[in-house]
Amino acid sequence: MYQQRSPVERSPDEVEVLGFAGCPNYLPALRQVQATLENIGVQSAVELLQVNSDELATQTRFLGSPSIRVNGLDVEVAARHSPHFGVGCRTYVVLGKRQGLPPQQWIEDTIREVMANVGVPA
């Protein structure tokens, strides 16, 4: 039997922003994640990871800069099983247009998805 925690006590264990130096969207992605956490009232540390080699990209399953993951889940649902790892710029297709950052709603949805499953046995 497990004890379910209240929503206030739930939070993602790991929020990551992955990117490489020189990416114009790397730090804006960090600010976007921090703003999203604040907007929805979730306290969680955000880890900034630099991926500067193809070897590290493969090891970390890096899909390009910037990538945002919550407890290992990419905020772009369609990319979660992508095998295309490497150091390069990442774009997100939103309403038929490419942009350098995912929508804030994708970040919030992934955080809520993770929070709904915190404390639930696998």
Side-chain angles (χ1 to χ4, degrees):
M1 188 95 183
Y2 70 94
Q3 184 173 2
Q4 191 170 5
R5 298 186 312 187
S6 72
V8 173
E9 294 173 351
R10 294 179 181 179
S11 67
D13 295 322
E14 184 176 65
V15 180
E16 302 169 302
V17 177
L18 298 89
F20 59 84
C23 171
N25 293 308
Y26 186 31
L27 293 178
L30 172 64
R31 289 190 292 271
Q32 185 181 39
V33 167
Q34 291 168 328
T36 302
L37 288 166
E38 185 176 322
N39 288 345
I40 62 174
V42 172
Q43 293 184 4
S44 184
V46 179
E47 186 173 358
L48 198 59
L49 301 171
Q50 286 202 18
V51 180
N52 294 313
S53 72
D54 286 331
E55 181 181 356
L56 187 55
T58 300
Q59 289 173 356
T60 60
R61 304 180 58 82
F62 179 60
L63 298 173
S65 185
S67 289
I68 301 168
R69 297 191 296 219
V70 181
N71 284 19
L73 293 178
D74 197 278
V75 297
E76 183 179 9
V77 174
R80 289 184 182 170
H81 300 289
S82 175
H84 304 289
F85 311 122
V87 177
C89 293
R90 181 173 179 179
T91 59
Y92 298 86
V93 178
V94 181
L95 301 174
K97 295 184 181 182
R98 291 199 175 273
Q99 58 189 49
L101 293 171
Q104 192 163 352
Q105 188 63 52
W106 291 6
I107 300 167
E108 183 176 331
D109 289 348
T110 305
I111 292 167
R112 292 189 188 284
E113 176 183 354
V114 166
M115 288 172 49
N117 292 312
V118 171
V120 176

